[in-house]
Amino acid sequence: MLATTIGGVLSISAAAVFSFALLSKMVERMVSLSVGIMLSTSLLHALPEAFESGADVRSLFATLLGGLLAFFMLEKFAILRHSHHHEGDGHHHAHGHDKREAGKAGWMILVGDGMHNFTDGILIAAAFLANPELGIVTGLAIIAHEIPQEIGDFIVLLNAGFSRTRAYLFNLLCSLMAVAGGLLGYFTLDRASGLIPYVLVFASSGFLYIAVSDLMPQMQRRATVRESVPQVLLIGVGVLMVLFLTRGH
């Protein structure tokens, strides 16, 4: 519990300091960095780990499909709920208002992040049960790979209209899902360990959906060369960050 709690708070706080101090003034541009982080976390880290676990491949793909559809429905619900809230309110809303107000990508990233942290908690519990030293190393490795992911999450939340305080508190609550995962892993490890690949795939489906459905279309609206070059470069930086900080994990 101590490892999962400290790991969650430390990774969230480090990501928040970096995001708020350096990135908050150029959130729209840094969405590109978030896309690189999300895609590479999912496609180069979480999904390979899930598919190398020995779990049934068809079941994992079914989970991926179910996750993508679930996040589609979650987004649809957010749009419909927001449209109903403003229906007949007599106010004129500028282009893009609904997207900023609904913050649907922000809520979806919190769901996916909570699932991912839950899985990390199970992994930490498994490592501590095997060997306390392995548990400490695993916890440090998870903190290292969480920081770039959390930076990406903060960028999405700020872009969705969350205040700094609100983004930090919601991300902190999601990070504490690692404690719940750690408790479940400790007390029911034999059964819970078999769920890890499926939780990883479901969390990855959220990151993939948000990146491809919400963030990349925003980037495509800025089609000039002057805007496109920094976008491509920042996506590459996001990928390199994940590759560097997840080596050996």
Side-chain angles (χ1 to χ4, degrees):
M1 288 182 64
L2 187 61
T4 53
T5 303
I6 291 177
V9 173
L10 183 59
S11 61
I12 289 293
S13 299
V17 168
F18 186 76
S19 300
F20 297 157
L22 302 178
L23 307 179
S24 59
K25 293 183 179 179
M26 46 181 180
V27 169
E28 288 188 7
R29 175 161 288 185
M30 299 312 292
V31 165
S32 305
L33 177 68
S34 182
V35 167
I37 291 171
M38 282 195 222
L39 291 178
S40 54
T41 297
S42 300
L43 297 174
L44 302 179
H45 177 63
L47 288 177
E49 185 172 324
F51 280 91
E52 291 171 1
S53 66
D56 181 67
V57 173
R58 289 182 180 272
S59 297
L60 291 176
F61 272 113
T63 302
L64 181 61
L65 173 61
L68 291 171
L69 294 176
F71 280 95
F72 169 75
M73 293 305 298
L74 179 64
E75 182 180 35
K76 182 69 70 177
F77 174 77
I79 294 172
L80 292 175
R81 180 175 178 275
H82 182 70
S83 297
H84 176 73
H85 175 72
H86 286 287
E87 185 178 346
D89 64 1
H91 296 131
H92 172 71
H93 301 301
H95 178 71
H97 171 83
D98 281 359
K99 185 181 189 316
R100 292 193 299 270
E101 290 295 315
K104 55 186 182 295
W107 292 111
M108 287 191 294
I109 197 68
L110 290 173
V111 173
D113 194 33
M115 296 291 290
H116 192 95
N117 291 328
F118 183 80
T119 303
D120 285 343
I122 296 176
L123 293 173
I124 290 174
F128 267 103
L129 287 173
N131 186 315
E133 292 182 0
L134 177 61
I136 294 173
V137 173
T138 300
L140 292 174
I142 285 176
I143 291 172
H145 93 259
E146 278 293 306
I147 290 174
Q149 179 190 308
E150 297 297 348
I151 291 172
D153 293 352
F154 274 117
I155 294 167
V156 174
L157 293 176
L158 293 174
N159 186 63
F162 283 61
S163 67
R164 294 184 181 188
T165 301
R166 200 162 172 240
Y168 179 81
L169 290 177
F170 275 106
N171 247 336
L172 183 61
L173 288 175
C174 284
S175 74
L176 295 180
M177 285 296 292
V179 179
L183 288 172
L184 177 66
Y186 184 82
F187 289 109
T188 61
L189 189 61
D190 289 339
R191 287 173 291 175
S193 60
L195 297 176
I196 292 177
Y198 299 95
V199 178
L200 280 173
V201 169
F202 186 85
S204 297
S205 71
F207 297 144
L208 291 173
Y209 183 85
I210 293 163
V212 174
S213 175
D214 286 288
L215 302 185
M216 294 179 86
Q218 289 184 48
M219 296 161 58
Q220 295 288 44
R221 287 198 290 269
R222 301 180 179 90
T224 65
V225 174
R226 184 177 180 180
E227 290 286 347
S228 299
V229 172
Q231 287 176 351
V232 173
L233 291 176
L234 285 168
I235 289 175
V237 170
V239 173
L240 291 175
M241 286 173 64
V242 173
L243 288 175
F244 178 76
L245 291 174
T246 58
R247 290 179 302 173
H249 176 67

